[in-house]
Amino acid sequence: MRGSRSDLSRLRIALTVFFALDGFIFAGWVVRIPAIKERTGASASTLGLALLGVSAGAVITMMLTGRLCGRYGTHRVTVACAVLLSLSVALPPLTHSAVALGTVLLLFGAAYGSLNVAFNSAAVDLVAALRRPIMPSFHAAFSLGGMIGAGLGGLVAGSLSPVRHLFGLTLIGLLVTAVAGRTLLRIQPPSPPEDTTHQPSAPRRPNPRTRGLVITFGLIALCTAYGEGALADWSALHLEHDLDAAPGVAAVGYSCFALAMTIGRLTGTRLLERLGQTRTLVGGGATAALGMLLGALAPSVWAALLGFMITGLGLANLFPVAVERAGRLAGPDGVAIASTLGYGGMLLGPPAIGFMADWFSLPAALTSVAVLAATAAAIALLTRRAAG
């Protein structure tokens, strides 16, 4: 069914809330990692291994979630995964060893990865029904939720223990899920206006050509997420060690990038309507490449900060567009493939930068972000006819 215009509007609001909630809970967990490290007594290397549980849980369950969405529907799976994410975020501060922490983070990562596949798949159906490129607005909500979650976490870190803080996130998550989930469960996933016989998010068996295109869009997501992961972990160190910035100024580096990415996503729908998907991907990748060259090689702090902001604006809409295209071609399985590759890029970025920094230098290593952004633009340009 198509759904009335009011149903589609309410569905868009509900999905936006879930995207924001996802970013809010994940950021709230991230800001308490240092305190949880101290609580478990883990060394830096042991903590690093435990934190891999988040990534492993996400990657393992993403493909499974695509199949669950096909069987039970994206809306039901979204609500179930949001409940699981809200409950599991309270578990890390209850652990007292790195092994226990890694184990509960497997569950947390599974919920996080599954929720991302489910609500992105639901958003793909809504984008098709509305016939408007609104996918970036959902990812802007995720970014805004993350900024609020991180800011709130920083404010309460001195007064609340990790146990109380993350349990508070559980209560907020369950409350928001109860309210937004009622709307989501009452509305059937819409079908595109031009095809009333289409069953949204139904299982599809893509042919080899379609699967190849889905993987191609996944590679664009990988190139984008590589840059996000690299800047999250290395931008402050680059500013402080290579450009002699004060620690407070160095910490602003990633904030500039994240803010610019949020602004880019908030304006992404208008950009896509004006330029189309291919031009947005090509222009975004080229812009990010130029911005990262400035950010990595600039001789001054302020020029580097400008470069980080340009990079954020360029990368902002690449991941949402890539995931939406993959979902349009292959349903939840397409979203799962693209998301898994994208998440792999976020995992690959920080350690790859570290190895290259040891071999060459950190500024040289950061130029790899520019190389991959340019690669994403080239992939989008070369596949524009096949994608159409």
Side-chain angles (χ1 to χ4, degrees):
M1 59 181 292
R2 295 187 190 182
S4 66
R5 180 62 58 176
S6 62
D7 281 348
L8 296 181
S9 297
R10 289 190 293 121
L11 179 56
R12 181 178 181 180
I13 293 171
L15 286 175
T16 300
V17 170
F18 276 108
F19 272 84
L21 178 67
D22 188 47
F24 177 80
I25 289 179
F26 191 80
W29 137 251
V30 167
V31 298
R32 299 318 295 258
I33 289 177
I36 293 173
K37 174 183 181 297
E38 184 177 349
R39 187 180 185 88
T40 59
S43 64
S45 58
T46 305
L47 177 67
L49 291 174
L51 292 177
L52 282 177
V54 178
S55 308
V59 170
I60 290 170
T61 57
M62 277 180 167
M63 292 305 300
L64 173 62
T65 306
R67 297 184 180 93
L68 291 176
C69 287
R71 173 172 291 187
Y72 299 107
T74 56
H75 293 183
R76 290 180 181 177
V77 177
T78 294
V79 173
C81 292
V83 170
L84 184 59
L85 181 71
S86 299
L87 293 174
S88 61
V89 75
L91 299 178
L94 301 179
T95 60
H96 298 281
S97 69
V99 173
L101 177 62
T103 302
V104 301
L105 288 180
L106 277 171
L107 178 62
F108 179 71
Y112 176 73
S114 297
L115 180 57
N116 275 264
V117 171
F119 61 35
N120 271 296
S121 298
V124 167
D125 288 335
L126 182 57
V127 168
L130 290 175
R131 305 183 74 174
R132 288 194 67 209
I134 61 170
M135 197 69 166
S137 68
F138 293 121
H139 288 259
F142 173 85
S143 299
L144 286 171
M147 293 173 66
I148 294 171
L152 181 62
L155 288 175
V156 305
S159 57
L160 288 180
S161 68
V163 173
R164 292 184 176 182
H165 176 200
L166 297 189
F167 181 69
L169 295 186
T170 292
L171 295 179
I172 293 172
L174 292 176
L175 178 61
V176 171
T177 300
V179 175
R182 289 182 65 187
T183 299
L184 209 59
L185 294 175
R186 287 177 176 176
I187 301 175
Q188 289 293 321
S191 59
E194 68 273 12
D195 182 9
T196 58
T197 63
H198 168 67
Q199 294 298 317
S201 299
R204 309 175 197 175
R205 294 183 179 179
N207 57 41
R209 176 181 177 276
T210 299
R211 182 171 290 274
L213 281 173
V214 169
I215 292 174
T216 298
F217 297 136
L219 292 176
I220 293 176
L222 184 152
C223 293
T224 304
Y226 177 97
E228 290 187 56
L231 282 165
D233 284 17
W234 292 102
S235 58
L237 191 66
H238 169 57
L239 292 172
E240 189 170 345
H241 286 194
D242 297 319
L243 299 177
D244 297 321
V249 175
V252 171
Y254 182 71
S255 298
C256 289
F257 169 80
L259 179 60
M261 178 168 277
T262 302
I263 293 171
R265 287 174 170 174
L266 287 172
T267 58
T269 295
R270 182 172 297 179
L271 188 68
L272 285 164
E273 288 177 333
R274 179 168 295 184
L275 300 180
Q277 289 187 336
T278 297
R279 289 182 180 179
T280 299
L281 289 173
V282 174
T287 299
L290 294 174
M292 198 60 229
L293 287 176
L294 176 62
L297 304 177
S300 69
V301 171
W302 302 112
L305 291 176
L306 176 62
F308 291 162
M309 294 190 71
I310 295 172
T311 303
L313 288 172
L315 292 181
N317 297 304
L318 270 63
F319 191 97
V321 171
V323 169
E324 192 270 330
R325 277 189 163 186
R328 184 147 43 91
L329 283 169
D333 282 345
V335 173
I337 292 170
S339 298
T340 301
L341 286 170
Y343 207 81
M346 189 167 288
L347 296 177
L348 175 66
I353 295 291
F355 283 121
M356 287 186 283
D358 285 340
W359 295 334
F360 307 106
S361 67
L362 182 53
L366 287 172
T367 61
S368 64
V369 175
V371 171
L372 286 187
T375 300
I379 291 172
L381 185 63
L382 293 173
T383 59
R384 64 189 184 278
R385 291 183 180 176

